[in-house]
Amino acid sequence: MWGHDPRLDCDRMSALVEVEGLSKSFGRVRALNEVSFSVDKGEVLGFLGPNGAGKTTTIRILLGLLHGDGGTAKIGGHDCWTDHALASRFFGATLEQPGFYGFLSGRDNLRQFARMLGSVDEKQITELLDLVGMTERADDKVKRYSMGMRQRLALAQALLGTPRLLVLDEPTNGLDPNGIHGLRILLRNLATEQGLTIFFSSHLLSEVEELCDRVVVLHRGEVKASGPLSELMNIKGFRYRIDVSDVDKALEIVHGVDGARAEQGTIKDSINVTADHDIARQINHVLVSAGVGVDQLVRTEQGLEDVYIQLTGVPVASPLSSPAAPQ
Amino acid sequence: MLGALFLLIAGGLYIYYVHLESRWTPQAPVAWQSQLRDQIASNQEEIANLEQVKQQSRGGTIRVGGRGGADLTVDQAIAQAKQAISDDQYLIDNNIAPVQSFAIAQASLFALGGIVMFLLIRIFGWLASEQIAGERSDRTITILLSRPPSRNQVLFAKALSSFLISLAVVVVTLLIIYAMFTFWFGSPGSLTDQAAVAIDGAKPLGPGNLLQMPIYLFVGMCLGAAMLGVMCVQGMSMLISVLTGRWAAIGITLAFLFGAPLVSTVVAGILFLISGSQDSSHFLKYLFFNVLAPVGSVAPTFGNTTATAGSGLNEFVSEVETLAVWTLGFFLAAWLLFRRKQEAG
C-alpha cells in the first residue's frame, strides 16, 4: 500500500527501530541519558520502567513529537525528527490517555485520521472496528466512550494503513481484565500471524512477561538492562527463600555479604535473597555460624518482577491502584 | 438556526423601516445628481445659519462641532461647508458619481469596514486561536503530528481552512447587507459604472484628488482589504495557538483584540492632551489592531461627509501595507515556532 518508494523498503533491515545515545533534558531535568536500544523486525519488545523513567519521552521522540538533544532515533532507517514524513510511514501509535474528537463518532474519528494516510478505505475502518470489538458503539460520539473504549479505538487508529510497527504507550490503561486479556491475544496474533513488530511500554509486568520476546528496562533516563526475557531473568542470579528464626538479624547479616541482595519475605519469618549458587551456600553457613536458625533454604523461580525490582529499586505498583502518571 | 436568526433580524429591520418611512415598499431610486444637489442646498442653508450665529456673537469665539468630530470655530465651519459645496459641484459638473451612489458600494463600506467587520474579525480570531491549541488540549495533536503530513502541511491546512470559512462568512454577510441596501435604495444599482473615491479626504476634490474605478473593482478592493484584516488576526491567533492550550489561546486572543484598541485609544487621548495635536498619536496607526478594517478609511466623497483628515485612498493603502507586514510577520513566526515546537504532553 506504500507504493514502490524504495525509501520505505525495509526488507534488508534487521532492526526497524534504532535508538543510539539518545539524550533529552527538560530544563535542568535529564529525562534521557545516552539511551540505546533497537527493535528487530517481527519482534515484540517491552519497554519497562517506573513512572518518570523516560519511557513516554522516548516514545514521543520516536513519534516525532519531541526531538532529542543528542543521539539518534530512527525508524525504518529514517530519522524520526528530520525525516519524519518517511519514518511515520512505518508505524502506527497510541499514547497513554489517547485523544479523539469528542463530537465525532468513533468511526468518523477513524475516517478523519485515515485521510492523513491517504489510502485507507472504508472496508479497513470497518474491519479494524470489528477487530478491537467496537462495532456496536462505532457510531456513538466518542465523548460518551469509557477510557477502555478509547483505548480500543486508539488501537484501531494505530492499525490504520496496516503499519509494520506498532508503538503502544501503556495500552492497557483503563482496560478491565477482559479487555487486557483480549488485547494480549490481539497483540500476540498481530505479531505471529501478521509479522507485526510491536514496541510497547507497560507497567503490567505480567503482560510484558507473556507477550514480549525482549525487554528494555529504563530507570531515571538510563537503560538498566535489555535483552531476551530468558537471559534477563537469569543474569542477576537465582532467587532463594530462607526461613529463619530472626528476620532482622538475618537481613543485617546477608546485607554484609558481597553479591547478595536481601529483603523481607512475604511469608512470615522468611527473607528473600538473590544471589549466585555459591554465595547462597555461603549465606547459609554465615547465618548458622551467627546463631540464626535456618529452617529451610528454597530456590524459587525468579520472575520479571524480581528483575525489575533489582534493577530499578522500585516496587511494582498494583495494576488496580496505579493511575497513569505523567512522565 | 442561523437562518431563523437572520429572518428575525431582517423582519425587525423591515418593521423599523416601515415605522420610519411610513411605507411598506421601497422608495423610488434617486439619481446621484439629485442627492448631491440636495446636499448642496443643505450646506448653503448651514452656511446661512452659521453666518447668523457669527453676527450674533459680535466678534466672540464660538466653537461648533465640525465634520469628523473636531471642534471648529464658526469661520472654520463655514469654510468646511463651502468646501463641501465646491466638491459636490465638481462632481456634478464632471459627471463623476461618488462611490456611495451605488447600493453594492455602500454595502461594502458598511459590511467590510464598520461594526460588522469589527465583530466578525474577533469571532474569526477566536476560531483560529483554537486551531492548533484545541488539538493540543484534546490530545489529538499527538496523532496529527505523528502521521505523515509534515508540520508545514498541518499549519498550512489549518490556516487555509480558517481563511476559507471566514471568506465564505464575509461574502454571505456582504450579500445580505447588499440585499438590505438594495431595498433601501429602491434598486440594486449598477455593478459596472465608474465610481469616484477621494485620494486624500482632507483635501478639496479635483483632478489630482479623485480616483475613478469600476464598481466591481471597488467591491473587490474592499473585500480584499477586509480579508487581509481577517488574515492578520488569524495569523496572530495561529501564533498564540501554536504556543498554548485551548482556553489560554482563546483568552489571550480575545483579551488582546478587545483590550489593545481600548488601551491604544487611551494612549492617543493622553498624547492629545499633552501635545494638543492629533498627529502625535499617528504612530498608533502602525499597530495592526488599529487598522484591522482599512475599508473604513476609504473617504466618502459626498459633500456632507468629506474633509476628514486621515481618510482617503492614501490612508487606505497605508493601512493595507501595515496589515500586510504584520500578517506576514505573524504567519512567519507561527511557522518558525510550530516546526520546532516540542509536544511534551
Side-chain angles (χ1 to χ4, degrees):
Chain A
M1 71 166 294
W2 305 118
H4 298 290
D5 189 339
R7 295 172 300 176
L8 300 175
D9 189 1
C10 63
D11 290 346
R12 289 179 190 171
M13 293 175 197
S14 59
L16 205 52
V17 179
E18 296 164 287
V19 175
E20 192 63 49
L22 193 62
S23 297
K24 176 72 186 170
S25 295
F26 296 104
R28 287 182 178 179
V29 179
R30 188 90 162 152
L32 296 177
N33 187 22
E34 302 278 334
V35 169
S36 300
F37 65 89
S38 62
V39 186
D40 290 339
K41 218 166 36 173
E43 80 170 334
V44 181
L45 186 116
F47 202 39
L48 288 175
N51 289 333
K55 303 189 300 290
T56 299
T57 300
T58 308
I59 288 176
R60 281 180 175 268
I61 290 174
L62 287 172
L63 302 193
L65 301 171
L66 292 172
H67 66 88
D69 302 333
T72 56
K74 290 182 180 177
I75 293 180
H78 304 284
D79 189 276
C80 293
W81 180 261
T82 58
D83 218 357
H84 173 71
L86 284 172
S88 64
R89 286 282 173 192
F90 286 85
F91 67 79
T94 70
L95 280 174
E96 56 179 337
Q97 295 184 318
F100 291 101
Y101 300 111
F103 56 92
L104 294 179
S105 68
R107 189 187 301 278
D108 284 341
N109 265 279
L110 292 189
R111 284 178 182 143
Q112 193 71 15
F113 296 126
R115 281 192 200 111
M116 288 191 275
L117 298 169
S119 52
V120 179
D121 56 21
E122 191 67 27
K123 188 171 164 240
Q124 195 194 16
I125 290 173
T126 305
E127 284 171 357
L128 286 174
L129 284 166
D130 188 43
L131 187 72
V132 298
M134 287 292 293
T135 304
E136 282 182 21
R137 300 291 303 273
D139 296 312
D140 289 357
K141 286 193 169 29
V142 167
K143 64 184 172 191
R144 299 202 187 97
Y145 282 10
S146 67
M147 183 62 181
M149 290 162 75
R150 282 169 184 256
Q151 284 286 15
R152 284 190 273 167
L153 188 65
L155 186 62
Q157 176 276 130
L159 289 167
L160 281 170
T162 326
R164 279 169 278 192
L165 167 70
L166 206 51
V167 180
L168 308 171
D169 187 17
E170 304 280 2
T172 49
N173 262 2
L175 291 181
D176 56 23
N178 280 340
I180 293 173
H181 180 69
L183 180 74
R184 188 191 305 156
I185 292 170
L186 176 61
L187 292 181
R188 181 45 75 192
N189 286 346
L190 288 169
T192 52
E193 291 169 17
Q194 297 184 25
L196 199 65
T197 306
I198 300 174
F199 172 58
F200 83 102
S201 74
S202 176
H203 60 267
L204 292 181
L205 300 183
S206 56
E207 293 302 318
V208 176
E209 214 166 348
E210 286 189 41
L211 275 173
C212 296
D213 305 315
R214 281 201 308 139
V215 293
V216 171
V217 182
L218 201 66
H219 183 50
R220 292 184 180 162
E222 291 181 356
V223 174
K224 289 291 178 186
S226 69
L229 269 175
S230 52
E231 279 180 23
L232 204 67
M233 289 191 202
N234 286 320
I235 203 166
K236 293 289 176 182
F238 299 103
R239 185 173 169 84
Y240 300 91
R241 195 187 85 226
I242 309 175
D243 295 347
V244 292
S245 58
D246 186 340
V247 170
D248 292 338
K249 194 171 177 186
L251 281 173
E252 192 184 326
I253 292 166
V254 178
H255 282 152
V257 177
D258 283 345
R261 190 183 163 91
E263 62 190 5
Q264 189 164 351
T266 48
I267 295 172
K268 194 176 175 238
D269 293 334
S270 75
I271 62 170
N272 293 332
V273 175
T274 310
D276 284 344
H277 187 64
D278 293 344
I279 295 173
R281 265 192 207 155
Q282 187 192 337
I283 288 169
N284 185 31
H285 179 71
V286 173
L287 285 173
V288 172
S289 303
V292 176
V294 175
D295 296 332
Q296 63 173 340
L297 189 153
V298 185
R299 187 169 141 182
T300 56
E301 192 70 23
Q302 173 152 278
L304 181 59
E305 186 176 324
D306 304 305
V307 176
Y308 178 85
I309 294 168
Q310 280 177 40
L311 291 168
T312 64
V314 179
V316 180
S318 160
L320 296 174
S321 61
S322 57
Q327 294 189 26
Chain B
M1 197 175 134
L2 280 174
L5 188 69
F6 169 70
L7 284 176
L8 197 71
I9 294 170
L13 287 171
Y14 180 66
I15 291 166
Y16 177 70
Y17 171 82
V18 171
H19 171 72
L20 195 73
E21 300 289 328
S22 301
R23 56 186 298 140
W24 296 95
T25 52
Q27 60 189 341
V30 180
W32 61 268
Q33 291 90 343
S34 303
Q35 288 183 39
L36 289 189
R37 286 192 191 100
D38 287 348
Q39 299 289 357
I40 290 171
S42 165
N43 277 321
Q44 283 168 339
E45 198 178 327
E46 188 185 339
I47 290 170
N49 289 338
L50 286 168
E51 293 286 2
Q52 214 171 356
V53 169
K54 190 179 169 185
Q55 280 174 6
Q56 285 169 357
S57 70
R58 292 170 190 164
T61 306
I62 295 179
R63 302 187 76 82
V64 294
R67 297 178 184 92
D71 267 3
L72 302 173
T73 63
V74 173
D75 283 339
Q76 285 171 325
I78 290 171
Q80 202 177 55
K82 282 182 177 170
Q83 182 59 56
I85 291 170
S86 162
D87 286 348
D88 285 346
Q89 196 57 55
Y90 175 82
L91 294 173
I92 293 169
D93 292 346
N94 292 280
N95 199 30
I96 299 170
V99 80
Q100 290 92 331
S101 313
F102 305 91
I104 184 68
Q106 192 73 281
S108 299
L109 290 171
F110 182 73
L112 305 174
I115 183 73
V116 177
M117 209 62 210
F118 176 89
L119 291 173
L120 283 181
I121 273 183
R122 276 141 188 89
I123 293 169
F124 296 145
W126 162 21
L127 295 177
S129 71
E130 282 200 66
Q131 287 281 21
I132 304 286
E135 301 274 4
R136 188 173 290 117
S137 292
D138 292 342
R139 295 190 301 275
T140 44
I141 199 161
T142 55
I143 300 176
L144 210 60
L145 298 186
S146 64
R147 289 301 190 180
S150 69
R151 290 181 179 222
N152 293 351
Q153 286 172 308
V154 170
L155 190 69
F156 179 72
K158 292 282 188 188
L160 186 67
S161 60
S162 296
F163 178 77
L164 291 179
I165 290 167
S166 56
L167 178 64
V169 172
V170 168
V171 168
V172 169
T173 305
L174 177 61
L175 291 176
I176 290 170
I177 291 175
Y178 176 39
M180 287 163 56
F181 273 98
T182 296
F183 184 85
W184 187 263
F185 275 60
S187 155
S190 168
L191 293 175
T192 52
D193 279 4
Q194 296 278 315
V197 187
I199 292 170
D200 184 342
K203 290 181 179 168
L205 294 183
N209 191 31
L210 210 55
L211 183 74
Q212 280 187 277
M213 64 177 87
I215 286 295
Y216 61 82
L217 196 63
F218 176 81
V219 174
M221 182 183 84
C222 291
L223 186 61
M227 290 315 296
L228 183 61
V230 170
M231 267 179 83
C232 186
V233 165
Q234 287 175 339
M236 181 202 77
S237 300
M238 281 286 189
L239 177 57
I240 296 168
S241 187
V242 159
L243 299 171
T244 61
R246 172 182 282 123
W247 297 114
I250 294 173
I252 294 168
T253 301
L254 291 184
F256 196 80
L257 288 177
F258 282 102
L262 211 65
V263 172
S264 180
T265 306
V266 172
V267 170
I270 293 169
L271 289 173
F272 179 72
L273 284 176
I274 294 169
S275 67
S277 162
Q278 301 277 10
D279 290 342
S280 60
S281 58
H282 185 72
F283 72 92
L284 294 172
K285 286 270 186 181
Y286 294 109
L287 300 175
F288 75 94
F289 49 81
N290 285 330
V291 293
L292 283 175
V295 175
S297 292
V298 178
T301 51
F302 272 129
N304 255 2
T305 43
T306 57
T308 306
S311 64
L313 269 184
N314 281 347
E315 181 62 26
F316 171 81
V317 170
S318 162
E319 291 183 9
V320 165
E321 284 170 352
T322 302
L323 272 181
V325 171
W326 278 94
T327 305
L328 204 64
F330 281 137
F331 277 109
L332 192 66
W335 173 65
L336 287 172
L337 286 170
F338 189 54
R339 66 201 298 265
R340 302 291 301 170
K341 179 82 173 77
Q342 310 252 338
E343 299 295 341

